[in-house]
Amino acid sequence: MSSAMRIVNGKVYDPINKIDGETRDICIEDGRIVESIPDDASRIDAQGMVIMPGAVDIHCHIAGQKVNSGRKLMPEDHKRDPHPGTPYTRSGSGGILPSTFATGYRYATLGYTTAMEAAIPPLSSRHALEELDDTPVIDKGFYVLLGNNIFLQKLLKEGRHEEFRQAVAWWMNAAKAYTPKLVNPGGDEPWKGKRNTNVSDIDEKSNGISPRQIIEAFINAVTAMGFPTPPHIHCNNLGHSGNYLTTLETMRTAGDQRAHIAHIQFNSYGGEIGKNPSSKAAEIVEYINQHPNITCDVGQVMFGKAAIMTADAPLAYVLRGISKNKWVNADTECESGCGIVPFTYQEHVYTHTMQWAIGLELFLLSEDPWRVILSTDHPNGGSFMNYPKLVRLLMDKSFRREEIARVNQKAIAKTALNDLEREYTLNEIAIITRAGPARALGLRNKGHLGPGADADITIYDEMENKEMMFNAPRYVIKSGVPIISNHEFKNDHSGRLLHIAPEYDQKIEETIKPFFEDYYSIEFDNYPVNDSYLHDHEVISTGPLSS
Amino acid sequence: MSLTLSLHTLPDVPIEADVICTDKLNNVNEAALSALTIFHGKEQVMLGDFFKVQGKYDGEIRIEGDLSRIKHLGAGMSGGRIIISGNVGAHLGAGMSGGEIIVEGNAGDWIASEMIGGRVIVKGNAGHMVGGAYRGSPVGMQGGEIIIHGNARNETGNAMRHGLIVVGGNSEDFTGVSMLAGTIIVLGEMGIRSGAGMKRAPSFPCIRQKCFRHSPMLAPIILLMCESISHILKSTDYKLMMHS
């Protein structure tokens, strides 16, 4: 098969290259986008269609031990939703937590070609890498959980900041990860060790260190080492009423350095702890609008089935009391915690409606779509399969009205949602699903269609109903390979692992090793993931100059 | 003439026969019936490869032969009647919401699992998980009636939410385990841990939730207590297997 291809007559939305709906030719050669190719190359006629870069999911949970535990916890969910194979693709099971194969193919059927798994403890990275390798079509990477790492906290308490930086770099290499993820930093250890306690304030010290010190140290270290994306932070007090103050403090801690706040909707609640939340979306968005160093993804809640899946073990413990359903809790040695609770968001419930409305408010009040990125924190706010519906909610005011009429009116009355008239344009959708996340992640070859970019392209039929439009792209091209054409799978593709390999001083291993021998269940030498687990992969460059 | 299916070739491995369901066979002629696809293990085959098809569906399907390797017969049906002359395999009438299935022989595991309505009568013995919840499901049987003339095995009525299960003979361990509501009557002996994890929600006061363990002498008294039994006795040819 010739690897050159020309897409003609389509309306191109490519915000990074400032192309907003112009009709242009896109040329592909050897898996990349190029300026021009010979005229006799194969063509796709995209008359009446919209061409966008392949979408990038900046925050989802699609691999690792917690996802697998969730799969095992919910067999009834798989039974309802088999995922049949095709002559080109493998079968799997669907539901809120699809099997690896189904995950890759289902992302592709929505036009997504990159997804980042958001929380893997280093101990589970080997497992995650193997699962990601089995997730077809999409390029993927993962963030590694370091915010509750006892050894790193010990270095910070002793003020050994240079060694801390080296250790973070070592851990990124050991896990083959993309960036550090901080989940309720400083909160898991007290919960594990002191009978269901948690830190309730960013300055509250537990074991001699406060969340603010941890967050600050990570932001400083990651900035100094020039990682492509800042640490992704799941703030303290997530899910609790009144937590917007913690979120604001977390963002202030970053100063003018870059920080990414994950699923910020879950962190934008006013009110008193233990009582019903109110919306503080306006306050949060105002801060983000004024501070270009902050990026966030929304973590929109969508009504229906979901699965709470978090390294924030104390939060999962609270939620299991609400759902009164089966749940899983796990302790990951010296590194993290974990909780999984199957959950259903219901329209008539005040809190669920409030969460849904806050997410939409965040989108609609944001002045810079580049920094407020679309996500549902799959599967925490709902499956990624809800993205087309979410896009329609943002683009279609009258549809939004209809949906608002169906939910808890007491909650809606306390939000500004009814007054928000904004409708996203196709260009802005291309920003919040493609260009924005690619830029926030520092992926220079993703999220745009300029020469040199990866040939990850989605072609949609232009339709009035945006949910239908984004639900069924006519063509999906991954690395120049037409995976879906005319709505049918025509090829399979393995996708690449995206990771970083920052340099570090080998001497740091001598500092880390004794700690392993004293406290870990596995030998130090067996802990780092070796290169044989990297199949098709790409190292994203780091260093002070790359930022 | 009602539709008759006779098994002419014994399958090597179980067959998934959820196409043999009253809801799916209206206005289907013999040739089209024979051409319906079923799974024999992982192979897709035609119904005619294993069954001889005679007649047309008129509200009743008669199935003959040793069907112990035929699974999912009548699964999801909402009306009509299936009469099975021999033994039958697992998942018979799973998730059914109406109609009636009568088995003259023995039935396999998971019969009428997660059933919503209708009636299943087994004149022989039944396997494990009669009317049970599939693994992971919060509720099992949500309505309808299951009557076993013989014995049933483990976890009869697992996570049952509503409806009636009568076992004429004995049931084994974990009868009514995790049961939420509904009625299970066992006229013989029950195994260990009957009703383990059972809940009775006070918000459902009108639903009777009982697991009876009693001697055969008490059976008539129980029958008097349970009014729905009398209409089952009237409407079916159910004969109580009394232990004398």
Side-chain angles (χ1 to χ4, degrees), chain B residues 96-97 111-120 130-133 138-147 156-166 176-185 198-201 203-210 226-228 231-232:
Chain B
M96 67 190 277
S97 56
I111 64 164
S113 46
E114 301 193 2
M115 132 191 245
I116 298 162
R119 182 180 302 137
V120 176
V130 171
V139 289
M141 180 170 175
Q142 292 180 59
E145 292 154 359
I146 305 174
I147 297 155
T156 298
N158 172 330
M160 182 175 187
R161 173 69 182 73
H162 203 340
L164 173 69
I165 298 176
V166 182
V177 60
S178 302
M179 191 174 168
L180 303 161
T183 306
I184 299 175
I185 299 176
M198 204 169 175
K199 283 179 197 139
R200 187 192 173 97
S203 54
F204 306 115
C206 57
I207 296 164
R208 284 158 292 117
Q209 182 195 359
K210 294 159 194 146
C226 186
E227 69 275 22
S228 67
H231 95 255
I232 296 166

Coordinates of all heavy atoms in Angstrom, one line a residue, chain B residues 96-97 111-120 130-133 138-147 156-166 176-185 198-201 203-210 226-228 231-232:
Chain B
M96 N -36.5 -14.0 31.0 CA -37.8 -14.0 30.4 C -38.8 -13.0 31.1 O -38.6 -12.8 32.3 CB -38.4 -15.4 30.2 CG -38.8 -16.0 31.5 SD -39.2 -17.8 31.3 CE -40.9 -17.7 30.7
S97 N -39.7 -12.4 30.4 CA -40.6 -11.5 31.0 C -42.0 -12.0 30.9 O -42.9 -11.3 31.4 CB -40.5 -10.1 30.4 OG -40.7 -10.2 29.0
I111 N -31.5 -21.8 35.3 CA -32.7 -21.7 34.6 C -33.5 -20.4 35.1 O -33.5 -20.1 36.3 CB -33.6 -22.9 34.7 CG1 -34.0 -23.2 36.1 CG2 -32.9 -24.1 34.1 CD1 -35.2 -24.2 36.2
A112 N -34.1 -19.7 34.2 CA -34.9 -18.5 34.5 C -34.1 -17.5 35.4 O -34.7 -16.8 36.2 CB -36.2 -18.9 35.2
S113 N -32.8 -17.5 35.1 CA -32.0 -16.5 35.9 C -32.4 -15.1 35.5 O -32.7 -14.8 34.4 CB -30.5 -16.7 35.6 OG -30.3 -16.8 34.2
E114 N -32.5 -14.2 36.5 CA -32.9 -12.8 36.3 C -34.2 -12.7 35.6 O -34.4 -11.8 34.8 CB -31.8 -12.0 35.6 CG -30.5 -12.0 36.4 CD -29.5 -11.0 36.0 OE1 -29.7 -10.3 35.1 OE2 -28.4 -11.0 36.6
M115 N -35.1 -13.6 35.8 CA -36.4 -13.6 35.2 C -37.3 -12.4 35.7 O -37.1 -12.0 36.9 CB -37.1 -14.9 35.4 CG -38.5 -15.0 35.9 SD -38.9 -16.7 36.4 CE -40.2 -17.1 35.1
I116 N -38.1 -11.9 34.9 CA -38.9 -10.7 35.3 C -40.4 -11.1 35.4 O -41.1 -10.6 36.2 CB -38.8 -9.6 34.2 CG1 -37.3 -9.1 34.2 CG2 -39.7 -8.4 34.5 CD1 -37.0 -8.4 32.9
G117 N -40.8 -12.1 34.5 CA -42.2 -12.5 34.6 C -42.4 -13.8 33.8 O -41.4 -14.3 33.2
G118 N -43.6 -14.4 33.9 CA -43.8 -15.7 33.2 C -43.7 -16.8 34.2 O -43.7 -16.7 35.4
R119 N -43.6 -18.0 33.6 CA -43.6 -19.2 34.4 C -42.7 -20.3 33.8 O -42.7 -20.5 32.6 CB -45.0 -19.7 34.6 CG -45.2 -20.9 35.5 CD -46.6 -21.4 35.6 NE -47.4 -20.4 36.1 CZ -48.6 -20.1 35.6 NH1 -49.1 -20.8 34.6 NH2 -49.3 -19.1 36.1
V120 N -42.0 -20.9 34.7 CA -41.2 -22.1 34.2 C -41.5 -23.3 35.1 O -41.5 -23.1 36.3 CB -39.7 -21.8 34.3 CG1 -38.8 -23.0 34.0 CG2 -39.3 -20.6 33.5
V130 N -31.1 -21.6 40.3 CA -32.5 -21.5 39.8 C -32.9 -20.0 40.0 O -32.9 -19.6 41.2 CB -33.4 -22.5 40.4 CG1 -34.9 -22.2 40.1 CG2 -33.1 -23.9 40.1
G131 N -33.3 -19.3 39.0 CA -33.8 -17.9 39.2 C -32.7 -17.0 39.8 O -33.1 -16.0 40.3
G132 N -31.5 -17.3 39.6 CA -30.4 -16.6 40.3 C -30.0 -15.3 39.6 O -30.4 -15.1 38.4
A133 N -29.2 -14.5 40.3 CA -28.6 -13.4 39.7 C -27.3 -13.8 39.0 O -26.6 -14.5 39.5 CB -28.4 -12.3 40.7
P138 N -26.9 -6.9 41.0 CA -27.4 -6.7 42.4 C -28.7 -7.5 42.6 O -29.0 -7.8 43.8 CB -27.7 -5.2 42.5 CG -27.8 -4.7 41.0 CD -27.0 -5.7 40.2
V139 N -29.6 -7.7 41.6 CA -30.8 -8.5 41.8 C -30.9 -9.6 40.8 O -30.5 -9.5 39.7 CB -32.1 -7.6 41.7 CG1 -32.2 -6.7 42.9 CG2 -32.1 -6.8 40.4
G140 N -31.6 -10.7 41.3 CA -31.8 -11.8 40.5 C -33.2 -11.8 39.9 O -33.6 -10.9 39.3
M141 N -34.0 -12.8 40.3 CA -35.4 -12.9 39.8 C -36.2 -11.8 40.3 O -36.2 -11.4 41.5 CB -35.9 -14.2 40.3 CG -37.3 -14.6 40.0 SD -37.6 -16.3 40.5 CE -39.4 -16.4 40.1
Q142 N -36.9 -11.1 39.4 CA -37.7 -10.0 39.8 C -39.2 -10.2 39.6 O -40.0 -9.2 39.8 CB -37.3 -8.8 38.9 CG -35.9 -8.3 39.2 CD -35.5 -7.1 38.4 OE1 -36.2 -6.1 38.4 NE2 -34.5 -7.3 37.6
G143 N -39.6 -11.4 39.3 CA -41.0 -11.6 39.2 C -41.2 -12.9 38.5 O -40.3 -13.5 38.0
G144 N -42.5 -13.4 38.4 CA -42.8 -14.7 37.8 C -42.7 -15.9 38.8 O -42.6 -15.7 40.0
E145 N -42.9 -17.0 38.2 CA -43.0 -18.3 39.0 C -42.1 -19.3 38.5 O -42.0 -19.5 37.2 CB -44.4 -18.8 39.0 CG -45.4 -17.8 39.8 CD -46.8 -18.0 39.3 OE1 -47.1 -18.8 38.4 OE2 -47.6 -17.2 39.9
I146 N -41.4 -20.0 39.3 CA -40.6 -21.2 38.9 C -41.0 -22.3 39.8 O -41.0 -22.2 41.0 CB -39.1 -21.0 39.1 CG1 -38.6 -19.7 38.4 CG2 -38.3 -22.2 38.6 CD1 -37.2 -19.3 38.7
I147 N -41.5 -23.4 39.2 CA -41.9 -24.6 39.9 C -41.1 -25.8 39.5 O -41.0 -26.2 38.3 CB -43.4 -24.8 39.7 CG1 -44.2 -23.6 40.2 CG2 -43.9 -26.1 40.4 CD1 -45.5 -23.5 39.5
T156 N -30.4 -21.6 45.0 CA -31.7 -21.4 44.4 C -32.2 -20.0 44.8 O -32.1 -19.6 46.0 CB -32.7 -22.4 44.9 OG1 -32.2 -23.7 44.5 CG2 -34.1 -22.2 44.4
G157 N -32.7 -19.2 43.9 CA -33.2 -17.8 44.2 C -32.2 -16.9 44.7 O -32.4 -16.0 45.5
N158 N -30.9 -17.0 44.2 CA -29.9 -16.0 44.6 C -30.3 -14.6 44.3 O -30.7 -14.3 43.2 CB -28.6 -16.4 43.8 CG -27.5 -15.5 43.9 OD1 -27.7 -14.3 44.1 ND2 -26.3 -16.0 43.8
A159 N -30.2 -13.7 45.3 CA -30.5 -12.3 45.2 C -31.9 -12.1 44.6 O -32.2 -11.1 43.9 CB -29.5 -11.6 44.4
M160 N -32.9 -12.9 44.9 CA -34.2 -12.8 44.4 C -34.9 -11.5 45.0 O -34.7 -11.1 46.1 CB -35.0 -14.0 45.0 CG -36.4 -14.1 44.5 SD -37.0 -15.7 45.2 CE -38.6 -15.7 44.4
R161 N -35.6 -10.9 44.1 CA -36.2 -9.6 44.5 C -37.8 -9.7 44.6 O -38.4 -8.9 45.3 CB -35.8 -8.5 43.4 CG -36.4 -7.2 43.5 CD -35.9 -6.5 44.8 NE -36.6 -5.2 44.9 CZ -37.8 -5.0 45.3 NH1 -38.6 -6.0 45.5 NH2 -38.3 -3.8 45.3
H162 N -38.4 -10.6 43.9 CA -39.8 -10.7 43.8 C -40.2 -12.0 43.1 O -39.3 -12.6 42.4 CB -40.4 -9.5 43.0 CG -41.8 -9.2 43.3 ND1 -42.7 -10.1 43.9 CD2 -42.5 -8.1 43.1 CE1 -43.8 -9.5 44.1 NE2 -43.8 -8.3 43.6
G163 N -41.4 -12.5 43.3 CA -41.8 -13.7 42.6 C -41.9 -14.9 43.5 O -41.8 -14.8 44.7
L164 N -41.9 -16.1 42.9 CA -42.2 -17.3 43.7 C -41.3 -18.4 43.1 O -41.3 -18.6 41.9 CB -43.7 -17.7 43.6 CG -44.1 -19.0 44.2 CD1 -44.0 -19.0 45.7 CD2 -45.5 -19.4 43.7
I165 N -40.6 -19.1 44.0 CA -40.0 -20.4 43.6 C -40.5 -21.5 44.5 O -40.5 -21.3 45.7 CB -38.4 -20.3 43.7 CG1 -37.9 -19.2 42.8 CG2 -37.8 -21.6 43.4 CD1 -36.4 -18.9 42.9
V166 N -41.0 -22.6 43.9 CA -41.4 -23.7 44.7 C -40.6 -24.9 44.2 O -40.4 -25.2 43.0 CB -42.9 -24.0 44.4 CG1 -43.3 -25.2 45.3 CG2 -43.8 -22.8 44.7
G176 N -31.8 -19.2 48.6 CA -32.2 -17.8 49.0 C -31.1 -17.0 49.5 O -31.3 -16.0 50.2
V177 N -29.9 -17.2 49.0 CA -28.8 -16.4 49.5 C -28.9 -15.0 49.0 O -29.4 -14.8 47.9 CB -27.4 -17.1 49.0 CG1 -27.3 -17.2 47.5 CG2 -26.2 -16.3 49.6
S178 N -28.6 -14.0 49.8 CA -28.7 -12.6 49.5 C -30.1 -12.2 49.0 O -30.2 -11.2 48.2 CB -27.7 -12.2 48.4 OG -26.4 -12.5 48.9
M179 N -31.1 -12.9 49.4 CA -32.4 -12.6 48.9 C -32.9 -11.3 49.4 O -32.6 -10.9 50.6 CB -33.3 -13.8 49.4 CG -34.7 -13.9 48.9 SD -35.3 -15.4 49.7 CE -37.0 -15.2 49.2
L180 N -33.6 -10.5 48.6 CA -34.1 -9.2 49.0 C -35.5 -9.3 49.4 O -36.0 -8.7 50.3 CB -33.9 -8.2 47.9 CG -32.4 -8.0 47.4 CD1 -32.4 -7.4 46.0 CD2 -31.7 -7.2 48.3
A181 N -36.3 -10.0 48.6 CA -37.8 -10.2 48.8 C -38.3 -11.3 47.9 O -37.5 -11.8 47.1 CB -38.5 -8.9 48.6
G182 N -39.5 -11.6 48.1 CA -40.1 -12.7 47.3 C -40.3 -13.9 48.1 O -40.2 -13.9 49.4
T183 N -40.7 -15.0 47.5 CA -41.1 -16.2 48.3 C -40.4 -17.5 47.7 O -40.4 -17.7 46.5 CB -42.6 -16.5 48.2 OG1 -43.3 -15.3 48.6 CG2 -43.0 -17.6 49.1
I184 N -39.7 -18.2 48.6 CA -39.2 -19.5 48.2 C -39.8 -20.6 49.1 O -39.8 -20.4 50.3 CB -37.7 -19.6 48.3 CG1 -37.0 -18.5 47.4 CG2 -37.2 -21.0 47.9 CD1 -35.5 -18.4 47.6
I185 N -40.4 -21.6 48.5 CA -41.0 -22.7 49.3 C -40.3 -24.0 48.9 O -40.2 -24.3 47.7 CB -42.5 -22.8 49.0 CG1 -43.2 -21.5 49.4 CG2 -43.0 -24.0 49.8 CD1 -44.6 -21.5 49.2
M198 N -29.5 -12.6 53.7 CA -30.9 -12.1 53.3 C -31.2 -10.8 53.9 O -30.8 -10.4 55.0 CB -31.8 -13.2 54.0 CG -33.1 -13.4 53.4 SD -33.7 -14.8 54.3 CE -35.3 -14.9 53.6
K199 N -31.9 -10.0 53.1 CA -32.3 -8.6 53.6 C -33.8 -8.6 53.6 O -34.5 -9.1 52.7 CB -31.8 -7.5 52.7 CG -30.3 -7.3 52.9 CD -29.9 -6.2 52.0 CE -28.4 -6.2 51.8 NZ -28.0 -6.0 50.5
R200 N -34.4 -7.9 54.5 CA -35.8 -7.6 54.4 C -35.9 -6.1 54.5 O -35.7 -5.5 55.6 CB -36.6 -8.3 55.4 CG -38.1 -8.1 55.2 CD -38.9 -8.6 56.4 NE -40.3 -8.3 56.1 CZ -41.2 -9.1 55.6 NH1 -40.8 -10.3 55.4 NH2 -42.4 -8.7 55.4
A201 N -36.3 -5.4 53.5 CA -36.4 -4.0 53.5 C -37.7 -3.6 54.1 O -38.7 -4.0 53.5 CB -36.2 -3.4 52.1
S203 N -39.3 -1.1 53.7 CA -40.1 -0.3 52.8 C -41.0 -1.2 51.9 O -41.7 -0.7 51.1 CB -39.2 0.6 52.0 OG -38.2 -0.1 51.4
F204 N -40.8 -2.5 51.9 CA -41.6 -3.4 51.1 C -42.4 -4.3 51.9 O -42.3 -5.5 51.9 CB -40.7 -4.2 50.1 CG -39.8 -3.4 49.3 CD1 -38.4 -3.5 49.5 CD2 -40.2 -2.5 48.4 CE1 -37.5 -2.7 48.8 CE2 -39.3 -1.7 47.7 CZ -38.0 -1.9 47.8
P205 N -43.3 -3.7 52.8 CA -44.0 -4.6 53.7 C -45.0 -5.6 53.1 O -45.3 -6.6 53.7 CB -44.8 -3.6 54.6 CG -44.9 -2.4 53.7 CD -43.8 -2.4 52.8
C206 N -45.4 -5.3 51.9 CA -46.4 -6.2 51.3 C -45.8 -7.4 50.6 O -46.5 -8.3 50.2 CB -47.3 -5.4 50.3 SG -46.3 -4.7 49.0
I207 N -44.4 -7.4 50.5 CA -43.8 -8.6 49.9 C -43.4 -9.6 50.9 O -42.7 -9.3 51.8 CB -42.6 -8.1 49.1 CG1 -43.0 -7.1 48.0 CG2 -41.8 -9.2 48.5 CD1 -41.9 -6.3 47.4
R208 N -43.9 -10.8 50.7 CA -43.5 -11.8 51.6 C -42.1 -12.4 51.3 O -41.8 -12.6 50.2 CB -44.5 -13.0 51.5 CG -45.9 -12.7 52.2 CD -46.9 -13.6 51.6 NE -47.2 -13.2 50.2 CZ -46.9 -14.0 49.2 NH1 -46.5 -15.2 49.4 NH2 -47.2 -13.7 48.0
Q209 N -41.4 -12.5 52.4 CA -40.0 -13.0 52.1 C -39.8 -14.1 53.1 O -39.6 -13.9 54.3 CB -39.0 -11.9 52.4 CG -37.6 -12.3 52.1 CD -36.7 -11.4 52.7 OE1 -37.0 -10.4 53.3 NE2 -35.4 -11.7 52.6
K210 N -39.9 -15.3 52.6 CA -39.7 -16.5 53.5 C -38.9 -17.6 52.9 O -39.0 -17.8 51.8 CB -41.1 -17.0 53.8 CG -42.1 -16.1 54.6 CD -43.5 -16.5 54.4 CE -44.4 -15.4 54.8 NZ -45.6 -15.3 54.0
C226 N -50.1 -19.7 51.5 CA -49.6 -19.0 50.4 C -50.7 -19.0 49.3 O -50.8 -20.0 48.6 CB -48.3 -19.7 50.0 SG -47.5 -18.9 48.7
E227 N -51.4 -17.9 49.2 CA -52.6 -17.9 48.3 C -52.2 -18.1 46.8 O -53.0 -18.7 46.0 CB -53.4 -16.7 48.5 CG -52.8 -15.4 48.0 CD -51.8 -14.8 49.0 OE1 -51.3 -15.5 49.9 OE2 -51.6 -13.6 48.9
S228 N -51.0 -17.7 46.4 CA -50.7 -17.8 45.0 C -50.5 -19.3 44.6 O -50.6 -19.6 43.4 CB -49.5 -17.0 44.6 OG -48.4 -17.5 45.2
H231 N -53.6 -20.7 42.8 CA -53.9 -20.5 41.4 C -53.0 -21.2 40.5 O -53.3 -21.5 39.4 CB -54.1 -19.0 41.1 CG -52.9 -18.3 40.6 ND1 -52.2 -17.4 41.4 CD2 -52.3 -18.3 39.4 CE1 -51.2 -17.0 40.7 NE2 -51.2 -17.5 39.5
I232 N -51.8 -21.5 41.0 CA -50.8 -22.3 40.2 C -51.4 -23.7 40.1 O -51.4 -24.3 39.0 CB -49.4 -22.3 40.9 CG1 -48.9 -20.9 40.9 CG2 -48.5 -23.2 40.1 CD1 -47.7 -20.8 41.8

